[in-house]
Amino acid sequence: MSVHRVTAAAGFVCAVLLVVNSARRAGLLPETAFTHAIAPFGALTGLLAITGIYLVIRDTAGSLGLIGYVLNSAGLAGAFAIEYILHFVFPYLGGGTVSELLAGGTGRAFLVTSAVLLAGVLTFGVAAIRSGAMPVVGVVLYAVGMVPGSLRSVVPVPVYLAGLVVAAIGVAWMAARLWGVEEEFIARRSRTTGARPTA
């Protein structure tokens, strides 16, 4: 399986997890050990998908694409850490301890992570559109959705959750393009070698 298809699959999984997480937070899905266990992996699979997207756009995205990729990746890695803490650390601490942590260095670290993710999403989005290698609507949906998705502690919960769903649609759209890149590569190779294309 090629890197394009692996990262495309990660993008589809990311989209599903974002929708599941939003539905859970909205009360449409039950709060279970399983839904909590999978919650952090939305950011992790998103990181893999963004990596695949960058590999497609890097030749035409230039320095802006690299900067956007680094910031976006760092933000998603931080978001994974935050989700892990929220689901597997904070529930075992007292409410007073959590409040103290959020009022101190932990809260500031969360805020910096949100700022890095927001800057990365917007920069990467502009670079992806300029590259012409990704569907514009998919990129826009991802960027627009991740604005409130990056600012979970600032925006109202319904806006945050709606943003995640919009971002999920954008990620799935770009993942479909990633999958198509591999199909195009196979077709070109078969025309060059005269071999029968294989999936």
Side-chain angles (χ1 to χ4, degrees):
M1 202 176 211
S2 75
V3 66
H4 291 130
R5 287 195 169 171
V6 170
T7 54
F12 291 128
V13 172
C14 172
V16 171
L17 289 176
L18 289 177
V19 173
V20 168
N21 289 343
S22 299
R24 177 183 56 79
R25 288 285 304 275
L28 301 177
L29 287 177
E31 298 269 0
T32 66
F34 177 72
T35 56
H36 276 282
I38 65 174
F41 292 96
L44 187 60
T45 52
L47 174 56
L48 293 174
I50 287 298
T51 299
I53 293 167
Y54 174 68
L55 292 176
V56 172
I57 72 171
R58 64 179 174 179
D59 290 339
T60 50
S63 299
L64 187 67
L66 178 59
I67 293 169
Y69 169 67
V70 170
L71 290 174
N72 201 350
S73 298
L76 288 171
F80 173 70
I82 289 173
E83 287 292 332
Y84 191 90
I85 290 169
L86 293 177
H87 288 274
F88 299 113
V89 178
F90 279 3
Y92 302 100
L93 302 177
T97 302
V98 172
S99 298
E100 288 180 12
L101 290 171
L102 292 177
T106 301
R108 288 191 293 274
F110 283 9
L111 183 60
V112 169
T113 298
S114 295
V116 170
L117 179 56
L118 179 59
V121 164
L122 295 178
T123 306
F124 189 77
V126 171
I129 291 173
R130 287 177 57 185
S131 75
M134 282 288 130
V136 173
V137 176
V139 176
V140 170
L141 288 174
Y142 170 68
V144 169
M146 285 303 295
V147 170
S150 302
L151 303 172
R152 64 182 299 159
S153 61
V154 178
V155 300
V157 172
V159 175
Y160 165 69
L161 298 180
L164 292 184
V165 173
V166 171
I169 297 171
V171 170
W173 203 318
M174 291 189 290
R177 171 59 183 147
L178 268 180
W179 194 274
V181 167
E182 179 64 14
E183 295 288 347
E184 293 170 8
F185 173 75
I186 292 172
R188 284 199 303 271
R189 184 175 61 187
S190 67
R191 287 196 297 269
T192 301
T193 63
R196 293 173 61 87
T198 57

